[in-house]
């Protein structure tokens, strides 16, 4: 039965979405009316600034986030509770994060107002710093800060599967410093194990649309943003450029994924040729690097504060009746904007909620089916084919879905197709989060349960699932946040009749109205935040009342 269910899940949520989307995209590319033409390809290839900025963003943002995460990860070995700081950052969707970050760090943002109130040196907002309102650099900063907690979560999961602490002790007994042991012994293994999560981050950075629409440059737009804009222009030339742009994105993705596969090997080669510095000695004893540890602890603290600061500034902005520069606080607070926007907020909030709830439950359930099928075949490795939806750029994939479903979308069932598209993305994320805990589960518990009279199915249901409750709830929370953040599938398959908080926030804030945009962004971040808080409370109660399940709870 598990095998049959896993085949159904793979067909409905992995093979058909990716296969049919790319196949229809390929067939449409040869259409006589709006297929790809040489003029369309040449036109895009001549936009060197667009291509270069797209490639640089897709390379630099993931690499920066990866090595920042690896730099911060040793603290997770010493203080595993730091992982709890990741929940607020993970819960804030990309769009809400970008809006909050601009309210904090834009030229007229709260940070500059604070500096002006203390020093009096900035009576007028500066030009273009600390974060330009429309720039590729701003997009990169948003992506790095938003992908950093995801990669830290992935590293935390891997650290529970490798004997990192004993490796560090052994390396130091051979004369390595703690820092050298981390980067030369533990990090190569982590980089190898991060290949798939990094691939997902690279593809997201390559094809992200909503963040560039909010804070990206309009004059040198990224390629995914250009493709998105061309699809809304109904001339044959624009449609041809959209298809050509989609395939150029696919080519870039293939190139970057190939380089990503070589990442671990390249890192090892770099470590081999990098000279090893001798340990500094003080009175014959090796010195430690307290400043380095202090810096890492400071960054962890800043990450936690940043998420709360973003929520706080979104609340203030949504309640501010007027808030002119350089005032550090609004002149007055009121619920007037909430009252006037209430009628427009209700439907997007309800749509976001039911889509996130159902798609996350489906995502976790399907991930369990896939993992159980793997476990029954004694296969504990991470299956990259199950993550294929994350490894194909979203713009060409969803464009293919739109071409496949064109006539069906007009029949008023857009909501169901939006739900299906969200589930396509919640399944791989739930699979990624659950994989470590599920495949490392000690089968002895199941054998003991069956020796007491339980059937295999009862042992799975009454013993294994309760012991995996913590990672299951974490996977649900991650899947919920993934669904809330979906923009392109909702916008294209929903046809405008299934608005969510994400689509409305992008629509309002990209038009320059940050005050109303902050209201939508706040609600967009509150929904997953409530879920993450509920999961944290549930897991805390689990550790307190079920100490034997603590070992498995720590996998979350």
């Amino acid at each position: 039965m598990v095998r049959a269910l896993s085949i159904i899940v793979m067909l409905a949520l992995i093979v058909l979405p990716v296969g049919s989307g790319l196949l229809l995209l390929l067939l449409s590319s040869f259409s006589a009316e709006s297929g790809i033409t040489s003029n369309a390809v040449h036109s895009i290839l001549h936009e060197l600034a667009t291509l270069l900025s797209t490639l640089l963003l897709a390379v630099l943002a993931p690499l920066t986030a990866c090595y920042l995460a690896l730099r911060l990860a040793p603290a997770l070995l010493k203080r595993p509770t730091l992982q709890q700081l990741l929940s607020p950052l993970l819960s804030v969707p990309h769009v809400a994060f970008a809006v909050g970050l601009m309210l904090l760090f834009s030229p007229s943002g709260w940070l500059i107002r604070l500096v002006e109130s203390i020093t009096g040196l900035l009576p007028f907002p500066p030009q273009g710093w600390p974060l330009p309102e429309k720039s590729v650099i701003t997009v990169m900063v948003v992506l790095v800060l938003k992908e950093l907690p995801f990669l830290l979560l992935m590293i935390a999961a891997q650290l529970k599967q490798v004997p990192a602490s004993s490796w560090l002790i052994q390396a130091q007994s051979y004369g390595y410093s703690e820092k050298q042991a981390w980067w030369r012994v533990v990090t190569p293994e982590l980089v190898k194990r991060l290949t798939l999560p990094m691939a997902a981050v690279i593809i997201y950075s390559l094809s992200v649309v909503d963040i560039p629409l909010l804070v990206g440059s309009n004059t040198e737009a990224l390629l995914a943003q250009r493709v998105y804009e061309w699809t809304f222009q109904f001339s044959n030339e624009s449609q041809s450029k959209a298809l050509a742009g989609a395939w150029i994105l696919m080519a870039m993705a293939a190139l970057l994924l190939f380089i990503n596969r070589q990442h671990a090997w390249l890192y090892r080669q770099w470590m081999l040729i990098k000279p090893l510095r001798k340990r500094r000695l003080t009175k014959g004893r090796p010195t430690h690097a307290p400043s380095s540890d202090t810096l890492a602890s400071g960054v962890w603290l800043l990450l936690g504060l940043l998420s709360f600061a973003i929520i706080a500034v979104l609340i203030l902005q949504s309640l501010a009746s007027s808030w002119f520069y350089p005032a550090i606080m609004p002149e007055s607070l009121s619920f007037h904007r909430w009252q006037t926007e209430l009628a427009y907020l209700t439907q997007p909030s309800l749509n976001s909620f039911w889509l996130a709830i159902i798609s996350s439950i489906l995502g976790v359930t399907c991930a369990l089916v896939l993992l159980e099928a793997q476990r029954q075949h004694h296969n504990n490795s991470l299956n990259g084919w199950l993550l294929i939806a994350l490894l194909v750029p979203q713009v060409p994939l969803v464009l293919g879905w739109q071409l496949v479903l064109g006539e069906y979308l007009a029949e008023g069932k857009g909501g169901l197709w939006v739900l299906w598209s969200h589930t396509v993305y919640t399944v791989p994320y739930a699979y990624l989060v659950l994989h470590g805990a599920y495949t490392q589960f000690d089968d002895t518990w199941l054998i003991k349960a069956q020796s007491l009279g339980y059937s295999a199915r009862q042992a799975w249901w009454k013993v294994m699932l309760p012991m995996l409750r913590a990672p299951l709830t974490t996977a649900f929370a991650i899947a919920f946040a993934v669904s809330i953040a979906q923009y392109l599938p909702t916008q294209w398959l929903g046809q405008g009749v299934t608005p969510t908080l994400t689509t409305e926030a992008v629509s309002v804030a990209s038009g320059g109205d940050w005050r109303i945009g902050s209201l939508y962004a706040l609600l967009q971040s509150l929904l997953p935040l409530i879920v993450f808080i509920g999961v944290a409370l549930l897991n805390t109660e689990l550790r307190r009342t079920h100490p034997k399940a603590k070992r498995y709870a720590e996998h979350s």
Side-chain angles (χ1 to χ4, degrees), residues 442-485:
D442 188 353
D443 286 346
T444 310
W445 292 98
L446 297 177
I447 296 169
K448 286 180 179 176
Q450 291 178 57
S451 69
L452 294 173
Y454 286 107
S455 66
R457 190 172 299 174
Q458 287 173 326
W460 184 84
W461 184 260
K462 295 187 176 181
V463 176
M464 188 172 181
L465 277 191
M467 294 183 75
L468 290 173
R469 190 166 63 178
L472 282 171
T473 52
T474 303
F476 171 79
I478 297 281
F480 190 93
V482 166
S483 171
I484 289 287

Side-chain angles (χ1 to χ4, degrees), residues 37-69:
T37 63
S38 58
N39 286 338
V41 176
H42 288 155
S43 172
I44 296 174
L45 292 180
H46 277 86
E47 296 187 23
L48 290 179
T50 293
L51 297 177
L52 193 60
S53 56
T54 301
L55 265 179
L56 281 177
L57 180 74
V59 171
L60 293 181
L63 276 181
T64 307
C66 176
Y67 283 95
L68 265 176

Side-chain angles (χ1 to χ4, degrees), residues 79-152:
R79 290 184 289 275
T81 52
L82 281 174
Q83 195 178 325
Q84 294 177 4
L85 286 176
L86 299 178
S87 295
L89 270 175
L90 282 168
S91 68
V92 181
H94 286 74
V95 170
F97 189 84
V99 173
L101 204 68
M102 291 312 298
L103 293 175
L104 286 174
F105 298 112
S106 70
S108 60
W110 192 81
L111 179 67
I112 292 296
R113 294 167 188 249
L114 181 64
V115 173
E116 160 60 20
S117 69
I118 296 172
T119 65
L121 295 175
L122 299 166
F124 301 101
Q127 294 294 319
W129 64 276
L131 267 186
E133 289 185 349
K134 290 282 186 180
S135 165
V136 176
I137 294 174
T138 308
V139 178
M140 185 177 297
V141 171
V142 171
L143 290 179
V144 168
L145 289 175
K146 200 64 191 72
E147 299 303 340
L148 180 59
F150 171 70
L151 289 174
L152 278 169

Side-chain angles (χ1 to χ4, degrees), residues 373-413:
Q374 263 191 259
R375 199 177 70 87
Q376 291 185 1
H377 286 85
H378 306 289
N379 179 10
N380 291 338
S381 58
L382 196 64
N383 189 342
W385 287 107
L386 302 181
L387 308 178
I388 191 69
L390 304 183
L391 306 182
V392 178
Q394 201 176 57
V395 170
L397 189 59
V398 181
L399 183 58
W401 294 348
Q402 194 183 33
L403 294 170
V404 173
L405 302 170
E407 296 178 1
Y408 299 101
L409 295 177
E411 293 177 357
K413 296 180 180 177

Side-chain angles (χ1 to χ4, degrees), residues 73-77 152-165 182 186 190 193:
L76 286 170
L77 279 176
L152 278 169
L153 186 72
M154 293 295 104
I155 291 174
Q158 297 304 325
L159 284 176
K160 289 164 185 160
Q161 299 181 37
V162 297
S165 298
W182 172 260
V186 179
L190 290 178
R193 288 168 175 260

Side-chain angles (χ1 to χ4, degrees), residues 176 283 354 474:
Y176 287 98
K283 296 180 180 178
W354 77 261
T474 303

